[in-house]
Amino acid sequence: MRLSDLLENLYDFELRADPSMNVSQISSDSRSILKNGLFIAIDGTHHDGHDFISDAVKNGAAAALVSRRDSVPEGFPYVLVPDTRVAEAYVWDNWYGHPTKNMKVVAVTGTNGKTSTVFMLKSIFEKAGHRVGMITTVRAEVGGRVIGTFGGSSVSDAAGAMTTPDPEYLYGTAFAMKQAGADVLVFEASSHALSLHKTDPITPDVAVFTNLSEEHLDYHGTMENYFRAKSSLAEKAKVLVVNADDAYMSGIPELYPNKEAITYSANAENRTRPPADVTALRIIRHGVAGVEYICFSKDAVFTVRSKIPGNFTVYNSLAAITAALAAGVGAEHARDGIASLTGVDGRLEAVPLGAPFTVFIDYAHTPDALENLLRTVREMREPGQKITLLFGCGGDRDRSKRRKMGAVASALADLVIVTSDNSRSEDADAIITEIVSGIDKEKPHCVIRDRREAIEYAVMTAEAGDVLLLAGKGHEKYEITRDGKKPFDEAQTVRSAFEKRKNKER
């Protein structure tokens, strides 16, 4: 592709290279650059790509995309831009021929509920006859086929495992989905991705704002910065779908008064503000079998039934329904799409055992998500049932939430087992100490550092009727420590522990 074509939609750049130059490859890794490649110098979280331009030149690069002129070897062709991260997103979008163009695009952002909302939207759009591409923390897929994103991220642990992939993989995945016939794209937009401009070339038809609670402050610094990153999704979106019950997100329509904003609420009785556009007018059922409520909007009134339990399911389904209606989907398809979805990987996911107790796996890894999870299970449980919560906190991540999660855990669980959860480069014992500092010492709790041993202990000691909650890992199939990343299947660990228990009881 010609260099000039790769620079399409970049309006602020200085070109010191032949615009007709043929570019055979793009890379921000000097080690993988090939002959006639364009090297993008990214100032990353650990390394600055400008320091490796000379290596890229040796490996055959034909030109460099830079934000500092003085970093370019004398006489070497370059393109100077204010921010190479912004430019990188447009370059990859151009490389793949603007794959999201002419697709219906819905982007979902917020602290909690993004993945579930995207899964629900996919189900709704499919009921309406669309072929849907979906990009989530769990996986990317189209038409039931998983699309490998393959790439690592400057703010992620694993290839293809980040919420919103880096531009090379984001636009490559969207291209693969379009090639597979997708006419709708629904994806999670993380605060990291938004602040790093990964999604800048995408114009969402609908942007969904679920909620905002404390998370990623190790990266953003303050809640105000975190909110600013999330709310920036509104800048290019055509229609905004906003949770009117969330203290932060409810303010977005005022920030963007020229945008069409549609609000949703699960608190129809709140008289302190104008009624939302879409509401859960009356919750009929709320328990282990799922939720049922009356959805009311100016255009339709219908009963919503979901097999997924939890108050958060009311909010997630309302977000998906409101976004679908805003995108032109009929109410009957919204209703049927929610009803047909049986669950989301790692989100209050039951582990079938045939045991006298129940085990759920959930991705909750923030104080707010953990509190919602525990309150949901408390509402679902039968009288006398005990809740055992097993959880940890990730290393190299926001430390301020650890004590808070310990406090939430001991306040709402009957027994707390504190263990490890992707300690990364940090000392697992130090992380656990911070969690335990928030626990009420009068409440039953214990520490078992090794997560496999902790799960085995929980399963071996569970009594009839108990509910075991394993929080934090959800869909993840790995554990990350100072020694690297190793396979770890939490559900399989539970099953193995239960087999050991049965053998012991024989």
Side-chain angles (χ1 to χ4, degrees):
M1 182 178 284
R2 291 186 308 176
L3 178 61
S4 59
D5 294 330
L6 287 176
L7 302 179
E8 183 183 351
N9 297 322
L10 283 180
Y11 301 109
D12 186 9
F13 63 89
E14 177 185 319
L15 182 62
R16 289 292 182 266
D18 180 0
S20 65
M21 173 191 301
N22 182 57
V23 175
S24 61
Q25 180 229 20
I26 306 165
S27 180
S28 57
D29 186 339
S30 62
R31 298 166 298 183
S32 65
I33 200 75
L34 301 176
K35 186 178 180 182
N36 296 323
L38 174 66
F39 176 67
I40 304 179
I42 299 292
D43 188 356
T45 55
H46 300 104
H47 303 287
D48 186 348
H50 292 85
D51 296 335
F52 299 93
I53 295 176
S54 295
D55 293 337
V57 173
K58 292 176 185 176
N59 290 333
L65 185 68
V66 302
S67 59
R68 297 204 313 269
R69 185 186 291 105
D70 60 6
S71 65
V72 183
E74 175 122 17
F76 187 70
Y78 67 88
V79 182
L80 179 68
V81 296
D83 188 330
T84 51
R85 284 198 179 274
V86 175
E88 179 189 32
Y90 282 99
V91 165
W92 279 113
D93 182 55
N94 293 332
W95 177 266
Y96 282 108
H98 317 295
T100 62
K101 189 176 181 180
N102 299 323
M103 294 176 76
K104 181 80 72 176
V105 178
V106 181
V108 181
T109 197
T111 304
N112 301 312
K114 296 188 297 297
T115 300
S116 295
T117 301
V118 167
F119 268 80
M120 289 174 177
L121 277 164
K122 177 177 181 290
S123 182
I124 290 171
F125 277 111
E126 287 178 341
K127 285 294 180 184
H130 295 278
R131 190 166 179 82
V132 185
M134 173 184 78
I135 302 175
T136 72
T137 308
V138 174
R139 63 178 175 272
E141 70 170 53
V142 59
R145 177 168 68 91
V146 174
I147 303 291
T149 53
F150 303 117
S153 166
S154 58
V155 290
S156 179
D157 299 304
M162 70 293 294
T163 297
T164 311
D166 279 348
E168 176 182 356
Y169 310 102
L170 174 61
Y171 298 99
T173 300
F175 174 77
M177 290 174 171
K178 194 166 189 177
Q179 291 293 102
D183 63 325
V184 173
L185 173 66
V186 290
F187 73 96
E188 295 182 50
S190 71
S191 59
H192 291 92
L194 292 167
S195 67
L196 295 173
H197 304 284
K198 294 182 186 182
T199 67
D200 277 17
I202 300 174
T203 301
D205 292 279
V206 181
V208 182
F209 300 87
T210 62
N211 51 68
L212 200 78
S213 62
E214 189 171 311
E215 173 72 320
H216 302 310
L217 297 189
D218 56 316
Y219 178 78
H220 295 290
T222 66
M223 285 296 292
E224 288 70 27
N225 290 340
Y226 182 34
F227 173 65
R228 193 176 299 117
K230 290 288 192 185
S231 62
S232 69
L233 180 63
E235 293 173 5
K236 294 202 170 183
K238 297 175 183 177
V239 179
L240 314 182
V241 167
V242 177
N243 181 356
D245 296 339
D246 185 82
Y248 278 97
M249 296 307 199
S250 60
I252 286 178
E254 292 183 14
L255 288 179
Y256 298 91
N258 296 326
K259 297 281 185 176
E260 180 184 356
I262 304 173
T263 58
Y264 65 92
S265 170
N267 187 9
E269 302 305 314
N270 190 337
R271 305 300 183 191
T272 62
R273 52 171 170 68
D277 299 303
V278 180
T279 61
L281 193 62
R282 181 165 61 91
I283 297 177
I284 301 169
R285 177 170 55 86
H286 183 302
V288 69
V291 300
E292 182 177 346
Y293 62 90
I294 304 297
C295 181
F296 176 84
S297 74
K298 65 177 182 179
D299 298 316
V301 179
F302 54 96
T303 301
V304 177
R305 297 180 179 90
S306 173
K307 300 179 180 71
I308 305 172
N311 184 55
F312 44 77
T313 296
V314 176
Y315 276 100
N316 295 339
S317 60
L318 273 174
I321 289 167
T322 306
L325 295 176
V329 174
E332 69 279 10
H333 298 308
R335 177 198 63 204
D336 295 345
I338 296 298
S340 65
L341 186 64
T342 57
V344 178
D345 299 8
R347 274 63 179 174
L348 202 57
E349 180 181 0
V351 182
L353 291 175
F357 51 88
T358 305
V359 181
F360 289 108
I361 292 174
D362 194 90
Y363 192 51
H365 59 282
T366 68
D368 183 62
L370 192 64
E371 180 176 350
N372 287 336
L373 172 66
L374 285 164
R375 290 194 183 282
T376 292
V377 175
R378 286 173 70 88
E379 292 171 3
M380 287 165 35
R381 68 175 173 175
E382 298 295 329
Q385 285 185 312
K386 183 179 72 177
I387 298 174
T388 296
L389 172 69
L390 182 151
F391 82 106
C393 289
D396 302 333
R397 297 295 186 268
D398 183 8
R399 292 179 57 186
S400 66
K401 69 180 182 180
R402 295 171 185 173
R403 179 182 175 86
K404 295 175 184 176
M405 290 179 70
V408 167
S410 63
L412 297 174
D414 298 296
L415 170 64
V416 178
I417 302 174
V418 183
T419 187
S420 59
D421 183 354
N422 294 337
S423 57
R424 299 181 178 87
S425 70
E426 284 194 65
D427 178 66
D429 290 327
I431 296 173
I432 288 171
T433 297
E434 291 189 53
I435 296 170
V436 172
S437 70
I439 289 179
D440 182 345
K441 303 306 184 294
E442 300 300 315
K443 298 289 185 71
H445 68 280
C446 65
V447 170
I448 303 176
R449 183 178 188 267
D450 183 274
R451 195 175 184 98
R452 191 179 305 276
E453 292 178 8
I455 291 172
E456 184 171 303
Y457 171 80
V459 171
M460 296 294 285
T461 59
E463 298 177 357
D466 282 1
V467 179
L468 306 187
L469 294 179
L470 312 184
K473 300 201 74 63
H475 62 280
E476 294 178 353
K477 303 296 182 185
Y478 56 84
E479 177 73 9
I480 305 170
T481 67
R482 286 173 172 171
D483 297 325
K485 178 180 165 188
K486 297 178 181 179
F488 184 83
D489 188 322
E490 197 154 60
Q492 184 55 50
T493 302
V494 169
R495 288 190 286 267
S496 297
F498 186 57
E499 284 300 314
K500 184 174 181 179
R501 172 177 169 141
K502 288 195 296 185
N503 290 333
K504 187 175 180 180
E505 290 173 348
R506 287 190 180 116

